[in-house]
Amino acid sequence: MIRPIVMAPDPVLSVSCDAATGDVTELARDMLDTMYAATGRGLAAPQVAVSQRIFVMDCTWKEGVPDPRVFVNPEIAARTGRQVNVEACLSIPDTPRRVERPAEVDLSFDAPGGRRSERFAGFAAACICHEIDHLNGVLITDLPEADE
């Protein structure tokens, strides 16, 4: 089911989310449907008015290689390197912003069977940081504009 995307300055976008508990399967499915319908590459739960620590992303679907991912209670364990990208946000349309992010992140998250860890680089690392910012109540407009 496609859910409405919350737009800034809605207060749900500026508060830190609670841990996700229970079965989030339906929420995750709805979030992926919503993200694809909005032609995004990532979507955090507060963007659909749910203040829980869950986000979805698919960094490659626009290139014809779908890779839908769901991250529940994610935490960045390590950050390395530096990259600067122009980022957009589904909750702040038409407001791209140059943002500095780490080039790589080590992410831990809840998965069936227990906690998992995985390393992400490049665009995926930037997307993860963007979505975790949402879970912490931070928007790209709250960040300083990055230099080259």
Side-chain angles (χ1 to χ4, degrees):
M1 174 178 80
I2 297 171
R3 297 185 183 206
I5 294 177
V6 174
M7 297 295 161
D10 191 297
V12 73
L13 297 172
S14 61
V15 296
S16 189
C17 296
D18 295 326
T21 58
D23 186 0
V24 295
T25 305
E26 183 178 342
L27 172 62
R29 186 174 31 251
D30 289 356
M31 288 174 62
L32 284 165
D33 289 347
T34 303
M35 179 193 72
Y36 289 130
T39 66
R41 295 182 191 247
L43 186 73
Q47 293 181 277
V48 292
V50 176
S51 193
Q52 292 187 41
R53 297 190 74 77
I54 177 174
F55 75 87
V56 298
M57 75 174 196
D58 188 339
C59 293
T60 57
W61 76 273
K62 290 184 181 184
E63 289 77 36
V65 185
D67 183 25
R69 302 291 307 266
V70 177
F71 299 98
V72 179
N73 297 320
E75 294 178 31
I76 295 176
R79 304 166 191 257
T80 57
R82 175 186 183 269
Q83 63 177 316
V84 174
N85 299 302
V86 175
E87 295 185 14
C89 181
L90 296 174
S91 292
I92 316 169
D94 304 318
T95 310
R97 188 166 185 93
R98 293 181 61 75
V99 179
E100 181 176 330
R101 302 284 188 190
E104 293 184 339
V105 295
D106 292 341
L107 187 72
S108 63
F109 53 95
D110 294 344
R115 199 91 175 139
R116 286 192 53 197
S117 293
E118 207 171 320
R119 173 168 282 178
F120 296 88
F123 183 75
C127 187
I128 285 166
C129 292
H130 179 108
E131 301 309 330
I132 287 182
D133 277 354
H134 275 299
L135 302 182
N136 294 328
V138 176
L139 300 173
I140 57 173
T141 52
D142 297 327
L143 302 173
E145 189 90 25
D147 296 327
E148 283 291 327

